[in-house]
Amino acid sequence: MCGIVGYIGTQDTKEILLKGLEKLEYRGYDSAGIAVMNEMGVHVFKEKGRIADLRAIVDNDVTASVGIGHTRWATHGVPSKVNAHPHQSTSGRFTLVHNGVIENYAILKREYLQDVNLVSETDTEVVVQIIEKFAQEGSHIEEALRRTLAILKGSYAIALVDNEDPETIYVGKNKSPLLVGVGDDFNVVASDAMAMIQVTDQFVELMDKEMVIVRKEAVTLKKLNGEIVERAPYTAEIDASDIEKGTYPHYMLKEIDEQPLVIRKLIQKYQDETGILTIDTDIIQATQQADRIYIVAAGTSYHAGLVGSQMIEKLAKVPVEVHVASEFNYNMPILSEKPLFIFISQSGETADSRAVLVQVKDLGHPALTITNVQGSTLSREADYTLLLHAGPEIAVASTKAYTAQLGVLAIFASVLAEAKGHTVEFDLVQDLGIVANAMEILCDEKEELENLARKFLSTTRNCFFIGRTMDYYVGLEGALKLKEISYIQAEGFAGGELKHGTIALIENGTPVIAISTQEQVDLSIRGNVKEVVARGANPCIISMKGLETEEDSFVIPAVNELLSPLVSVIPLQLISYYAALHRDCDVDKPRNLAKSVTVE
Ligand code: AGP
């Protein structure tokens, strides 16, 4: 979702901001803007569309050493130049970018801004106008910002410049992510480290309700009551080359191809010096004390949670419930006596999951976050973290993070099982190795999978994915992948459930992708395929070696059934990728979507 950058130093600010915004493009946005400040005042450039459109209107003759920038994912008001950030106060003195949602903006507008003519439809403009109002009443800028932040309800990450104080960027944060990067003779502001990794790898995390005064030579953190906070920077371990596409046409394809490597890296990262898979003993002890595990997540991470629940229940024999974060937040079930919560989130910033984590911590329950982003909000605020080690995932459609989540969940389940005295009947290191090899084989079968995408999906308006047990969960993920990047209406169903209503949608030629990797339900899912075929469906059966029949469209290599989702998802990812390509869709940045969903 929205992204923020800021720079104060000695170099060409425009270019640093624009490059930073390009690095944030993956988060999803519909308009962008920058404001740079020099002795002539503040110069604002903003445009609807892509950063390339913004670049086209930036005046190259304007030079400056201070500036802020923003990519906007519309919440209040349509995507337009007027609604794009930065927003300015009426006098032009204050210029501000904002990420998040100000829930009480309408009330604030009525209370403080009756006499102010707002030019945009955004909640953000209300913030910058109130800062101006407080400044006009005599508050120094820092005080005006502090007073404003104190009355905001909702989430915000804010960067503000004042043309009467051209040596400073003022920053505020609550719930929405924001970092301050530190360098020699310059400092930066960024929604995530990737945006500024080209200039520094030293970042200071900001906590909620903190503000920062960022100058070229110093960064001062304060609480909203003015108390100074000391916090050392951490080193962001991102290799700048990890966030380049290289020779790939799309990040999504690169990230699909990286999956075998990610699984091999995971094995290494979670092995001890003797080669045994291991998980931090504190985590295992906390889990052993729990009578039930609650997995909370959204989207693809929720689908990983469904598979993970089976792994944990089957291996460690602990009951697991899996919940969609946005529902759990408002509709918490009666909890067991000793629950342990697992938050699964690629970004570690999903606002829906974070809202649940806050409630869970208030209730005093232990929480573990499984995430790809070290230092992310969900990681910082949970008691424990397990990292995915998948490297930055840039494409909006999650691929390698999903399989890494499954890998970590499998390792967690098997270590927990051993700790509880349950024998794990297979060698997980070896079986994950077999998974990585199978993934590699599948990544080499792109041509065949592209043909399947053409055969089944080139003209269809909808598509169903069916499976049973583990294959049902993978079907849900396959359907999500297909709809988010190709815009084909796709639904995943438990094979047996279709006949309870949805089978009414099957017409002549409707594609039904059926997955069969589980011996126990192979015949049942094939029976479900017959039911839809009898009603005209065009079936595409993807089965696992050993269960295949002549009617199958694609066969995946044999792996441990419990780990099959790590492998069976790959043809679904690639079929979705090619279906989107055939329809000329923007694969990496699908419409309306954001990579990091930082509003509830
Ligand atoms: C996945 O392809 C989606 N882009 C989306 O469903 C995503 O998984 C969801 O928003 C949760 O994100 P998180 O894993 O960063 O919490």
Side-chain angles (χ1 to χ4, degrees), residues 52-90:
D53 303 308
L54 173 64
R55 271 190 182 277
I57 60 145
V58 169
D59 181 348
N60 282 323
D61 295 335
V62 175
T63 56
S65 51
V66 186
I68 53 178
H70 190 264
T71 47
R72 172 175 189 255
W73 187 85
T75 56
H76 296 64
V78 294
S80 69
K81 184 168 179 159
V82 167
N83 288 333
H85 301 209
H87 288 283
Q88 292 195 284
S89 59
T90 305

Side-chain angles (χ1 to χ4, degrees), residues 31 76 99 176 188 212 235 240-241 246 369 469 481 551 595:
S31 53
H76 296 64
N99 180 0
S176 297
V188 297
V212 195
T235 305
S241 65
T369 290
T469 67
K481 266 328 55 109
E551 60 189 354
K595 181 71 181 164

